[in-house]
Amino acid sequence: MSAASRAPLRSNRTNRTAARARSRAALAVGAAAAALLVSACSSGGTSGGGGQTGFITGSDGIATAKKGERADAPELSGETVDGGQVDVDDYKGKIVVLNVWGSWCPPCRAEAKNFEKVYQDVKDQGVQFVGINTRDTSTGPARAFEKDYGVTYPSLYDPTGKLLLRFEKGTLNPQAVPSTLVIDRDGKVAARTLQALSEEKLRKMIDPYLADGSDDSGKSEK
C-alpha cells in the first residue's frame, strides 16, 4: 500500500479517536450531573454538601448562612428556555431567587404557581426570580410547562446540569430537583431549600432579605 493510500486511513482513525474522546467527555458531564441530582424530584431533604459548610438548617428545611460566611454565587448565564439570554450577574444589587426545576418533576409542578404569584408580589421590591431548567432533553416541554403555569420570569436551559456543577461543594449548592436558593444583593448565596415550596414557605424564605441590613441573623425564623 502506498503512502498516499495510507494517509486517509490514518485520518479516519484520528477522526474516530477524537469522536470517542468527545463522547466520553459528554458522558462524564452527564454522569457528574446525575450524581449531583441523585435525590432528583424528591419532596424534601435538608442535608448540606460535604466539607466545611458554615450554614444552619432550620426545622423548616431552609438552610441559611450568616452574611460574612456566604459563598459567591457562580457565573450563571446562557440561553433561556424561550430562546433569550440571561446572566444572573446582571441582577447584582437585587435579591435573586433561583429555582431549579424540570417539566418532568411533579413537585416542580406543585410549586410553580406559588413561585409566579410570589414573584408578581415582590418583583417591584428589588427581587428577581430566575429558573434553571434541567434534564429536559428539549426546550419544548419546558416551554409548555411555563405556559401551563403562567411562569413569566426567565429560566436558563441547562439539560445536562453544567450550570449546577459550578456551585462549590460544601456550600449552599443545589442538590435536588426542585431546589431553591436565595442570592443576596451582593451576589452571595444566603439560603437554600431542597424541597417544593408552598407560597407561605417561599415568602418566609425571602422576607429576611427584603430590607438591607435585616438579613444577618444566620438562622431561619421559626
Side-chain angles (χ1 to χ4, degrees), residues 99-100 106-116 178 180 195-197:
N99 178 244
V100 180
C108 301
R109 294 195 287 270
E111 70 178 3
K113 288 187 176 180
N114 301 329
F115 273 72
E116 179 62 24
T180 300
Q195 58 188 322
L197 293 175

Side-chain angles (χ1 to χ4, degrees), residues 41-43 99 101-116 145 149 178 195-199:
C41 214
S42 63
S43 59
N99 178 244
W101 63 278
S103 68
W104 44 268
C105 169
C108 301
R109 294 195 287 270
E111 70 178 3
K113 288 187 176 180
N114 301 329
F115 273 72
E116 179 62 24
F145 178 101
Y149 294 100
Q195 58 188 322
L197 293 175
S198 65
E199 180 185 337

Side-chain angles (χ1 to χ4, degrees), residues 1-11 13:
M1 182 181 294
S2 68
S5 62
R6 287 196 298 269
L9 295 176
R10 288 196 297 270
S11 177
R13 285 197 296 271

Side-chain angles (χ1 to χ4, degrees), residues 68-117:
E69 299 176 0
R70 296 171 189 166
D72 290 329
E75 191 273 329
L76 299 169
S77 63
E79 186 173 350
T80 60
V81 164
D82 61 3
Q85 292 286 325
V86 160
D87 187 340
V88 171
D89 195 54
D90 290 342
Y91 300 126
K92 192 168 286 187
K94 291 187 175 185
I95 297 162
V96 175
V97 178
L98 196 69
N99 178 244
V100 180
W101 63 278
S103 68
W104 44 268
C105 169
C108 301
R109 294 195 287 270
E111 70 178 3
K113 288 187 176 180
N114 301 329
F115 273 72
E116 179 62 24
K117 188 174 190 306

